[in-house]
Amino acid sequence: MADEILIKPDLKFVQRIMAAGGQDAKKCYQCDTCCVVCNLTPENHPFPRKEMLQAQWGLKEVIKSPDIWLCHQCSDCTVHCPRGAKPGEVLGVLRQMCIENYAIPPQLARMVGDLRFLPLLIAFPVLLLLAALKVTGRLAIPEGTIVFSKMFPWWMVDIIFMGAAAFAVAVLAQGVMRYWRDINTSPWAVKLQGSVLANLIPVLQDILLHNRFKKCETTYARSLNHLLVVFGFITLGLVTAWAFVREWVFHWPGPYPFFSPFKMLALLGTALLIYGIYQIIVARQANADKAGFGTYFDWQLIYIVAAVGITGAGSWLFRLLGIASLAYPVYFLHLTSVFILFFFAPYTKLAHLVYRTVAMLYARMSGRGF
Ligand code: SF4
Ligand code: SF4
């Protein structure tokens, strides 16, 4: 007699999916239309129908499936689903639960993804930065020319933000290693082909150019807007890296001259970030009826990125105008939002950067069709 296969439904898992934004998952009657219309799904074992079934039945192993990360939430399936089960949204919730599952501590991930804890999320960096100013005797608007390092010297910014970045990298690294181990030991695991490095390069190329993302139809513009935000971040990352080298290697003091190429690059990066995120907000609202409005988890990252861009541009503008009473407080808010972006990255949707990369790498090495 063949081995008995036990299915262990977890009702709490189903309730959590529904509470997190996948409340329509139970409407699915397995017609498979979603797999037919999805331009990103592989031919063998396509998604998202099977994930809808697993979500309905409370089979929580689904959050360890790499397939949930091959979906870019373009909503083509949601538009065509005859039952209004919103499979695109349900897969988004499963990805959120995957991030929560691999983050440590998972309780912090749950809190970060819960609107009720938003005040705490903001209070933590605010109190930390205020404490740093208080301890170093800088808790006042500095006199004279506006120079942000009078309030937050570089060494203080570096200590706080390198600490936040190191924390995020450590949490993400352990999460991704556990995820990689799980997908390679799961019931659907297959023997991988080729070296990690040789496969990682085309995967990163695909991600950088959004080749798969661009195949979406319903929300095609989202891939372009997302690309603007990504290149905004890359540009600002390069400027920040140069600022770090400038300070620690060359010991060049003071802010950049106004027409410095790096200042221009920083402005370009900020402009891309703000324009891209603005377009994402507009497109999400315009498509809300057919594609779904998105969950708090989706919107949280959008607003964090918007806060980083707007406060960055605002502090620069108020400094140019010489309004110290606004420039310093807005700069404080800028540092607060950057801290939230970095420190909480393993718990917010930003973690999709690494989990999706790992899942795409696995899919490529396991012959899932790209
Ligand atoms: S999610 Fe909708 S389209 Fe997909 S199988 Fe279920 S009912 Fe059909
Ligand atoms: S949201 Fe788009 S990519 Fe994701 S399963 Fe649906 S059709 Fe496919």
Side-chain angles (χ1 to χ4, degrees), residues 129 133 140-142 146 148 151-152 311 314-315 318 323-336:
L129 293 173
L133 291 178
I141 303 284
I146 302 173
F148 293 130
M151 182 180 239
F152 284 102
T311 54
S315 52
F318 290 128
I323 310 173
S325 58
L326 288 176
Y328 286 106
V330 174
Y331 183 63
F332 182 94
L333 292 178
H334 180 59
L335 293 185
T336 301

Side-chain angles (χ1 to χ4, degrees), residues 222 280-288 292-294 298-299 302 349:
R222 231 186 74 205
I280 285 176
I281 293 172
V282 169
R284 266 192 179 271
Q285 287 174 336
N287 285 322
F293 186 67
D298 295 323
W299 282 99
I302 290 173
K349 196 178 173 183

Side-chain angles (χ1 to χ4, degrees), residues 24 29 33 82 102 113 118 120 139 165 173 184 287 294 317 324 334 340 365:
D24 296 306
Y29 60 1
T33 307
Y102 288 102
L118 181 61
L120 276 182
L139 198 54
N184 278 288
N287 285 322
L317 191 66
H334 180 59
I340 291 173
M365 293 178 76

Side-chain angles (χ1 to χ4, degrees), residues 92-129:
V93 170
L94 295 176
R95 287 191 291 273
Q96 175 184 351
M97 294 169 95
C98 175
I99 290 172
E100 284 176 7
N101 185 60
Y102 288 102
I104 49 165
Q107 295 83 354
L108 181 55
R110 294 261 187 99
M111 285 170 65
V112 171
D114 187 333
L115 178 61
R116 291 171 300 173
F117 291 99
L118 181 61
L120 276 182
L121 193 80
I122 298 170
F124 175 55
V126 167
L127 293 176
L128 182 73
L129 293 173

